[in-house]
Amino acid sequence: MKKLLFQFDTDPMPSVFDVVVGYDGGADIITGYPNVTPDTVGALVDGTIYTRGGAEKKSTAIFVGGGSMAAGEAVFKAVRKRFFGPFRVSCMLDSNGSNTTAAAGVALVAKAAGSLEGKRALVLAGTGPVGMRSAALLAKEGATVTLAGRQLAKAQEAAKAIETRFKVEIRAIETPDAETRGRALAEADVAFAAGAIGLELASEAQWSEAKDLGFIADYNAQPPLGFAGIEATDKGKERHGKVVFGALGIGGLKLKLHRACIARLFESAELVLDAEEIYALAKEMA
């Protein structure tokens, strides 16, 4: 029985990255659908749940992706709403790679720190999918989380969305320039950079002189990195007395995690992989 993975993408083109990792994770055939919405996904789901029965059903799975986490969450909800009784297949949400990336980053930092309980965590440029998921997982680990963005309204909107979805408290602040980001770093024990490609968020002097800052994670693999003075390949490397993780250092676990999640989709017909489930696996693998 062929392992079929159906990729429901909210973008105009299904992600090539997700296709490659899907095959590496064990799928035999991947079929991608673009521009999927909650209104159009129903018929696609029906095709996955009515065609195989019994033990054969576990050989069909659904992956929801695309650049927008909000759009992905809406589609993922519509997918699961279509299931009933035995008419269901395993499914996974990883819009913009945010669940697997954030899970890998937070799991590595949590392991290095021993515990994040009570730590003051800062997520710079945290209004995107990866930043928001990182903030949520840090809060679930017991950290006091501050989500920083260039515009206060957007940061507050992101914080509210996290609070609604994960039932945690997130503080939102506005950091439109290097000075405000430096002040925020001075008050943090743990800091993540989740900014866009080509955007330096903190100079080496800023983070190295933050006396309480002990752990740094940067998701940007292309220079200039979010934190100047670190290397993308850093994985638990000590720099200026801080334990540092670069994007490629995090990316190794992210890719292994993504593949492992795909493999697990084909172990049963009832698995649902969202942030919490993916993070639990990341902690096992870190």
Side-chain angles (χ1 to χ4, degrees), residues 3 25 42 103 112 126 222 225 250 259 270 272:
K3 296 177 181 177
Q222 297 183 29
L225 305 187
I250 296 169
R259 294 180 191 125
E270 299 182 355
V272 175

Side-chain angles (χ1 to χ4, degrees), residues 93-110:
L93 173 64
D94 200 26
S95 295
N96 205 36
S98 54
N99 276 338
T100 50
T101 301
V106 175
L108 287 169
V109 170

Side-chain angles (χ1 to χ4, degrees), residues 46-80:
D46 290 349
T48 71
I49 63 177
Y50 292 127
T51 47
R52 289 172 166 176
E56 294 178 348
K57 199 174 286 290
K58 69 180 183 181
S59 294
T60 301
I62 293 171
F63 179 95
V64 176
S68 168
M69 175 52 72
E73 285 180 323
V75 169
F76 199 59
K77 181 179 180 180
V79 167
R80 289 176 291 143

Side-chain angles (χ1 to χ4, degrees), residues 116 118-124 143-148 171-175 178-192 202 205-216 227 242:
L116 293 174
K119 298 286 189 185
R120 298 168 298 169
L122 171 68
V123 183
L124 293 173
T144 300
V145 181
T146 298
L147 186 149
R171 175 189 175 217
I173 63 171
E174 186 176 57
T175 53
E179 182 180 352
T180 53
R181 291 191 291 271
R183 288 200 298 267
L185 281 168
E187 299 177 355
D189 302 306
V190 178
F192 282 68
Q206 284 178 311
W207 63 260
S208 65
E209 294 171 6
K211 60 183 181 63
D212 293 333
L213 187 60
F215 303 91
I216 287 175
F227 288 105
K242 328 291 186 187

Side-chain angles (χ1 to χ4, degrees), residues 253-273:
L253 176 58
K254 180 264 191 295
L255 283 171
K256 291 178 182 177
L257 176 62
H258 193 156
R259 294 180 191 125
C261 287
I262 297 298
R264 289 199 176 190
L265 290 176
F266 298 111
E267 293 177 359
S268 80
E270 299 182 355
L271 193 64
V272 175
L273 294 179

